[in-house]
Amino acid sequence: MLVDSPPEQRAETAPAPPNRRAIRSLGLLVSVAVLALVASASIAIGAKELSLGQVWHGLFANTGTYGDVVVDERLSRTLLGLLAGAALGLSGAVLQALTRNPLADPGLLGINAGASAAVVTAITYFGVTSLSGYVWFAFFGAAAVGALVWFLGGSRGATPVRLALAGTAISAALYGYVQAVMIMDDAALGRMRFWTVGSLSSATDSTIAQVLPFFAVGTVLALALARPLNAMSMGDDTAKALGAHLNRTRALSMLAATVLCGAATAACGPIVFVGLMVPHIVRSFTGPDMRWIMPYATILSPVLLLGADVIGRVVVRPSELQVGIVTALIGGPVFIFLVRRRRTAQL
């Protein structure tokens, strides 16, 4: 259980002036409104064109063809996008604070690679063909790699640099394994090709029910780490002076990020850039305080994910472009811009 620093030591983050807190609070409300609009668009817009009246009838009457399209497909897809987007954004915020790297993302610690390696193993050696089967293999693969990174990073003596190096090395090895298996097994290549792109199109009530407990536990744990992560952002010595427990905070941060990103990757496949872009952009207007970064990232990341999914459904009608492709197309230029801006700021 996390223990707050004594009142006289709670100086890790200076309290924001009242007007700034009011602006941030208003910003959260605006973000929630934007999320509601994007979620509504995700339900109303799809590869199959429906009028607003037909969408309304399908959503609330839930009968006939409209009910099948709106409720069974679009509503489940939107709910999974909300959960997965929030999980990716929150895990990215935690990992950026943990590694003290504002350009870190869940893939940095090998979590995506662990999930991918587990799924290709399930397909090739265990004959798993259903998404419900992928979910559990992917989640446990992500969890196993998270534990391995923690161990190789030094366990109780883990530092941000060691964790990042361990994650990078394991990711390279696991992606090499995935490519080798896919090249040797045509069936695995065909099935993995869809999963590795990252998609919300296979969302079902069953998938959501399976991963929902992990999203809930990971979210609660991550939000509870805001104050300790604030202290750690000031350096280990200062964090210790403020009463933070470094090893416990790092271990719990790894656990929270692994649970969140593992569950999202298991349900949707590896979706890139969401966990990198949103927390980084949010930090530019909230400042370094994790008590604000986390809520904003949790709300705005689904905006990006659902928005990208809607774009993918519209641009190539009647087919669709998977959300993982759209986020990569958006995220690539944005990432280059962020790196160049950071380099310019350091000069």
Side-chain angles (χ1 to χ4, degrees), residues 46-174:
K48 181 179 178 63
E49 293 191 46
L50 297 176
S51 68
L52 290 179
Q54 291 169 334
V55 171
W56 183 269
H57 182 272
L59 186 61
F60 292 99
N62 192 16
T63 57
T65 304
Y66 302 150
D68 293 340
V69 172
V70 175
V71 176
D72 296 341
E73 296 179 16
R74 294 185 188 175
L75 183 59
S76 295
R77 186 170 183 158
T78 300
L79 290 175
L80 183 58
L82 287 170
L83 293 172
L88 290 171
L90 192 53
S91 64
V94 170
L95 290 176
Q96 288 177 10
L98 177 65
T99 60
R100 297 176 199 157
N101 181 357
L103 296 179
D105 75 329
L108 181 67
L109 297 185
I111 297 172
N112 288 345
S116 298
V119 170
V120 77
T121 299
I123 292 171
T124 304
Y125 299 110
F126 296 98
V128 178
T129 58
S130 66
L131 181 63
S132 60
Y134 296 166
V135 165
W136 292 106
F137 275 92
F139 179 78
F140 286 118
V145 169
L148 183 60
V149 168
W150 174 250
F151 174 77
L152 295 178
S155 189
R156 291 184 175 275
T159 64
V161 173
R162 288 181 180 177
L163 291 173
L165 289 175
T168 301
I170 292 174
S171 292
L174 289 178

Side-chain angles (χ1 to χ4, degrees), residues 145-292:
V145 169
L148 183 60
V149 168
W150 174 250
F151 174 77
L152 295 178
S155 189
R156 291 184 175 275
T159 64
V161 173
R162 288 181 180 177
L163 291 173
L165 289 175
T168 301
I170 292 174
S171 292
L174 289 178
Y175 279 129
Y177 164 76
V178 168
Q179 294 299 321
V181 172
M182 290 173 65
I183 289 172
M184 293 186 295
D185 188 335
D186 291 339
L189 176 61
R191 295 181 188 135
M192 279 291 292
R193 185 183 301 152
F194 178 78
W195 186 82
T196 53
V197 167
S199 173
L200 299 176
S201 61
S202 298
T204 63
D205 293 342
S206 175
T207 302
I208 295 172
Q210 289 179 41
V211 297
L212 183 59
F214 298 105
F215 286 134
V217 171
T219 299
V220 171
L221 181 56
L223 293 176
L225 291 167
R227 285 183 179 274
L229 287 173
N230 274 342
M232 288 180 60
S233 68
M234 303 177 70
D236 289 357
D237 292 338
T238 303
K240 288 179 181 178
L242 293 171
H245 298 272
L246 300 184
N247 292 329
R248 184 173 66 187
T249 301
R250 287 185 180 129
L252 292 176
S253 297
M254 280 288 299
L255 177 61
T258 299
V259 169
L260 288 168
C261 184
T265 304
C268 309
I271 297 176
V272 297
F273 288 116
V274 175
L276 183 154
M277 284 193 297
V278 177
H280 184 84
I281 293 171
V282 163
R283 187 179 290 103
S284 67
F285 59 83
T286 64
D289 192 344
M290 294 297 292
R291 293 172 297 181
W292 289 102

Side-chain angles (χ1 to χ4, degrees), residues 5-21:
S5 304
E8 66 273 14
Q9 292 181 334
R10 292 179 186 171
E12 71 270 20
T13 303
N19 59 334
R20 181 175 295 180
R21 288 199 299 270

